[in-house]
């Protein structure tokens, strides 16, 4: 059975607190793991969350501010120390190549794993596979920043009643799925469209077209809400979003599950983010992220 879940490693903005580590997030998508924005302390948070270096297949960095990237050095060295048996691909803004190089080779260690560098220079598709397409979109922040989106190709769902009507059962079910036809019965005769799942990851940014493109119709949107609404001017000045802004993006995009994260240490009550998100009109499932929680992706529509 495939596993699709979002593992939160850290949720703090700029500086860690007693209860929140720097950013760090792992998306489990079937048999693959994608690590987003490993901030300082990510390696230890992985241990606490039960995430192994072997679980990482891709690393996606939105931008090179320390709370989103200082953990790269430790994570990369751990991947090599544990001799991860598969290649690992790293995506990050191409303009930050010098920062990636410094973090990759921050200290001496023995390289044992193929780390593929695939920097992002513009909007577009980064990777295509059987279970998802990975895309990037430019965001609006004082340094170059990109958000990421995974989209599963649409498929078809077998309908038991239609299979029974046409007398198809046992091994023939798999055969018609593979071949598209069995005698005079087509796959369309015994199935219905199944929309693919989608996941969007939006970190430090102001409102911009890239945010809307990433969020559009997402089953799960993980998005920063550094500030509360009363500090909207401050958020815009620093290139961030408020809880209400993030929730309105999700509402207008038709997001099914909204995950708010990246909270400023100036706020003591995390539930205020939930109250403002609901006040902004978002009615779907809502998670106010906390360190070390696991959030399952919504079931396919």
């Amino acid at each position: 059975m495939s596993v699709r879940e979002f593992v939160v490693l850290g949720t703090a903005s700029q500086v860690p607190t007693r209860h929140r580590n720097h950013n760090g997030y792992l998306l489990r998508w079937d048999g693959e793991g994608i690590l987003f924005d490993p901030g300082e302390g990510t390696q230890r948070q992985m241990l606490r969350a039960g995430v192994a270096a072997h679980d990482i297949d891709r690393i996606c960095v939105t931008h090179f501010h320390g709370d989103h990237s200082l953990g790269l050095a430790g994570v990369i060295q751990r991947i090599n120390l544990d001799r991860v048996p598969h290649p690992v691909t790293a995506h990050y803004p191409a303009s930050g190549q010098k920062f990636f190089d410094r973090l990759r080779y921050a200290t001496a260690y023995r390289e044992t794993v193929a780390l593929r560098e695939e920097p992002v220079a513009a909007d577009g598709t980064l990777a295509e596979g059987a279970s998802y397409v990975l895309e990037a979109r430019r965001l609006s922040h004082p340094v170059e920043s990109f958000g990421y989106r995974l989209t599963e190709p649409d498929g078809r769902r077998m309908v038991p009643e239609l299979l029974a009507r046409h007398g198809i059962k046992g091994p023939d079910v798999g055969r018609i799925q593979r071949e598209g036809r069995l005698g005079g019965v087509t796959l369309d005769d015994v199935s219905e469209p199944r929309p693919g799942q989608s996941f969007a990851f939006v970190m430090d940014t102001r409102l911009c077209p890239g945010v809307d493109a990433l969020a559009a119709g997402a089953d799960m949107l993980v998005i920063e809400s550094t500030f509360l609404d009363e500090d909207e001017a401050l958020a815009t000045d620093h290139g961030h979003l408020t809880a209400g802004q993030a929730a309105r993006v999700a509402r207008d995009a038709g997001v099914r599950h909204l995950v708010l994260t990246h909270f400023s240490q100036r706020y003591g009550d995390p539930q205020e983010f939930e109250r403002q998100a609901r006040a902004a009109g978002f009615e779907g499932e809502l998670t106010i992220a906390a360190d070390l929680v696991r959030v399952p992706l919504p079931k396919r529509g």
Side-chain angles (χ1 to χ4, degrees), residues 207-285:
L207 293 173
C208 66
V211 174
D212 296 327
L214 291 163
D219 289 289
M220 179 177 286
L221 169 63
V222 178
I223 187 168
E224 69 117 315
S225 59
T226 309
F227 293 94
L228 292 174
D229 290 345
E230 53 266 30
D231 293 317
E232 182 175 331
L234 191 61
T236 301
D237 185 55
H238 287 81
H240 286 291
L241 297 174
T242 70
Q245 287 176 325
R248 284 189 289 274
V249 166
R251 179 198 66 193
D252 295 345
V255 168
R256 296 174 63 197
H257 191 150
L258 171 63
V259 180
L260 297 182
T261 187
H262 195 271
F263 307 112
S264 170
Q265 69 274 17
R266 71 181 58 222
Y267 307 114
D269 180 10
Q271 294 312 306
E272 185 60 24
F273 289 87
E274 179 175 0
R275 287 190 285 271
Q276 292 195 357
R278 291 304 188 191
F282 180 74
E283 298 179 349
E285 192 166 357

Side-chain angles (χ1 to χ4, degrees):
M1 183 177 179
S2 64
V3 174
R4 295 185 180 179
E5 66 173 1
F6 184 67
V7 183
V8 181
L9 303 175
T11 56
S13 166
Q14 193 172 43
V15 298
T17 71
R18 290 185 179 184
H19 304 291
R20 295 186 183 277
N21 197 74
H22 265 172
N23 289 277
Y25 312 89
L26 183 90
L27 175 66
R28 296 188 188 274
W29 188 280
D30 301 343
E32 189 167 341
I34 303 173
L35 179 67
F36 292 93
D37 279 9
E40 184 180 353
T42 291
Q43 186 180 179
R44 184 170 183 273
Q45 293 295 94
M46 288 169 55
L47 180 66
R48 297 179 68 198
V51 174
H54 285 61
D55 295 331
I56 301 172
D57 295 271
R58 292 184 188 274
I59 301 172
C60 293
V61 177
T62 59
H63 66 291
F64 284 102
H65 277 155
D67 54 331
H68 297 260
S69 62
L70 280 176
L72 268 171
V75 169
I76 290 173
Q77 291 190 27
R78 185 58 180 268
I79 287 169
N80 285 274
L81 178 66
D82 289 2
R83 296 177 179 269
V84 170
H86 53 259
V88 176
T89 303
H91 304 287
Y92 51 88
S95 61
Q97 184 67 53
K98 64 180 180 181
F99 302 120
F100 185 87
D101 292 342
R102 291 170 184 169
L103 289 163
R104 180 174 182 177
Y105 298 110
T107 64
Y109 65 99
R110 183 180 179 184
E111 291 189 274
T112 64
V113 177
L115 180 62
R116 300 169 176 167
E117 298 182 13
E118 296 187 4
V120 183
D123 292 356
T125 299
L126 304 178
E128 295 187 55
S131 65
Y132 68 80
V133 174
L134 175 64
E135 302 171 274
R137 290 291 183 274
R138 190 181 301 275
L139 301 175
S140 175
H141 198 52
V143 300
E144 187 172 50
S145 183
F146 286 92
Y148 298 94
R149 178 183 170 105
L150 281 81
T151 304
E152 178 186 31
D154 293 339
R156 299 196 67 83
R157 178 187 295 109
M158 306 304 287
V159 180
E161 295 82 1
L162 296 178
L163 289 167
R165 183 183 305 168
H166 290 280
I168 296 175
K169 57 184 178 180
D172 284 341
V173 176
R175 182 179 171 190
I176 196 171
Q177 285 181 298
R178 292 190 303 272
E179 300 177 7
R181 177 180 291 273
L182 187 65
V185 181
T186 68
L187 180 61
D188 287 353
D189 293 332
V190 293
S191 65
E192 62 185 11
R194 185 199 67 190
Q197 283 186 319
S198 54
F199 168 89
F201 186 80
V202 177
M203 280 297 115
D204 299 15
T205 184
R206 305 173 183 90
L207 293 173
C208 66
V211 174
D212 296 327
L214 291 163
D219 289 289
M220 179 177 286
L221 169 63
V222 178
I223 187 168
E224 69 117 315
S225 59
T226 309
F227 293 94
L228 292 174
D229 290 345
E230 53 266 30
D231 293 317
E232 182 175 331
L234 191 61
T236 301
D237 185 55
H238 287 81
H240 286 291
L241 297 174
T242 70
Q245 287 176 325
R248 284 189 289 274
V249 166
R251 179 198 66 193
D252 295 345
V255 168
R256 296 174 63 197
H257 191 150
L258 171 63
V259 180
L260 297 182
T261 187
H262 195 271
F263 307 112
S264 170
Q265 69 274 17
R266 71 181 58 222
Y267 307 114
D269 180 10
Q271 294 312 306
E272 185 60 24
F273 289 87
E274 179 175 0
R275 287 190 285 271
Q276 292 195 357
R278 291 304 188 191
F282 180 74
E283 298 179 349
E285 192 166 357
L286 174 62
T287 296
I288 306 301
D291 289 18
L292 307 179
V293 302
R294 296 170 180 267
V295 187
L297 268 70
K299 293 183 178 180
R300 292 178 178 87

